[in-house]
Amino acid sequence: MINSVDLEEVKVTDQHQETTKGTEAMSLSSKINLSSPLIREWLMARKTNIRPIGVFFSTSNFQVPPSAGRLTKRMYKNLDYFQSNYVLVFLVLFIYCIFTSPLLLVVMMLAGGACYFISTKNQQAKVTIAGHEVSLAGQYGLVALCSIPLFLLAGAGGVVFWVLGASIFVISLHAAFYNYDALEVQEDQEPLTGEIVEEV
């Protein structure tokens, strides 16, 4: 009789551990925020690598590449060197597109307001529906699901494709025609090592 009770207790504790693991996994997405060290590190890296506007838009450095091989190398180096500037180009085009589409701006404000309301409501008390507690991630998912038709009516699909297309076009043009070799980049120059031997 003692053995049967012990086995039942073990089964109950195993089930309890599985349910707590499941709830931890469900609440993991709600813990992701902008104060995460990984996101802060990425943002700081982008901020420190922003090149000056005068260098980025220097018209004297725009030249047609002499060959296809040179074009590929130039694009690779420019994408690496001006990466933070290209992220800013994308953000500027995105912000421009949002402000020129007032209905999309209103829908974004409504969705953001709903998410803010949900987060403040959950700090006060947990939301339960029919006796079941609804996680914060589930509530955000419901807001996103309800927002999809509104975003489609506001023309978000066209905005996304316009921003992506315009960004790829502008960034590709800049990366292809900007002469990276005209820059004096100290970090890419390898120091000379070894001995120089002159043949006689």
Side-chain angles (χ1 to χ4, degrees):
M1 191 163 195
I2 294 173
N3 291 337
S4 63
V5 171
D6 290 342
L7 289 175
E8 288 178 11
E9 286 178 5
V10 169
K11 287 180 183 176
V12 169
T13 55
D14 286 344
Q15 289 175 349
H16 177 66
Q17 288 175 351
E18 288 176 6
T19 55
T20 53
K21 286 180 183 176
T23 55
E24 286 174 2
M26 293 282 289
S27 66
L28 178 64
S29 60
S30 64
K31 293 180 183 176
I32 298 173
N33 58 15
L34 290 178
S35 63
S36 169
L38 187 64
I39 295 173
R40 279 190 305 205
E41 184 180 315
W42 185 85
L43 289 173
M44 288 303 294
R46 296 288 71 76
K47 186 178 177 182
T48 56
N49 289 335
I50 293 176
R51 309 300 176 192
I53 293 176
V55 173
F56 187 69
F57 290 113
S58 177
T59 55
S60 61
N61 289 340
F62 284 97
Q63 299 171 357
V64 177
S67 66
R70 195 77 182 135
L71 171 69
T72 307
K73 186 176 180 183
R74 181 184 285 185
M75 285 188 76
Y76 174 75
K77 283 187 171 184
N78 282 334
L79 286 172
D80 185 44
Y81 186 72
F82 290 113
Q83 186 178 25
S84 297
N85 293 74
Y86 293 148
V87 170
L88 285 177
V89 166
F90 172 79
L91 289 176
V92 165
L93 289 172
F94 181 73
I95 291 169
Y96 167 76
C97 216
I98 287 175
F99 282 114
T100 56
S101 176
L103 185 58
L104 182 61
L105 186 61
V106 168
V107 171
M108 286 182 71
M109 290 172 65
L110 286 174
C115 288
Y116 177 75
F117 176 75
I118 286 172
S119 67
T120 55
K121 186 79 171 169
N122 273 303
Q123 288 176 354
Q124 297 169 357
K126 299 293 181 188
V127 175
T128 56
I129 298 176
H132 296 288
E133 184 179 319
V134 182
S135 68
L136 187 61
Q139 294 173 41
Y140 286 151
L142 185 63
V143 169
L145 191 65
C146 293
S147 298
I148 289 173
L150 296 174
F151 277 115
L152 292 176
L153 286 173
V159 167
V160 167
F161 285 113
W162 186 89
V163 169
L164 286 176
S167 298
I168 289 171
F169 179 74
V170 170
I171 291 168
S172 298
L173 273 180
H174 186 274
F177 291 106
Y178 193 91
N179 186 8
Y180 179 84
D181 296 329
L183 294 173
E184 295 179 9
V185 182
Q186 298 295 327
E187 60 190 84
D188 290 344
Q189 294 176 355
E190 298 179 3
L192 294 175
T193 57
E195 297 178 4
I196 300 175
V197 178
E198 184 177 321
E199 291 184 17
V200 181

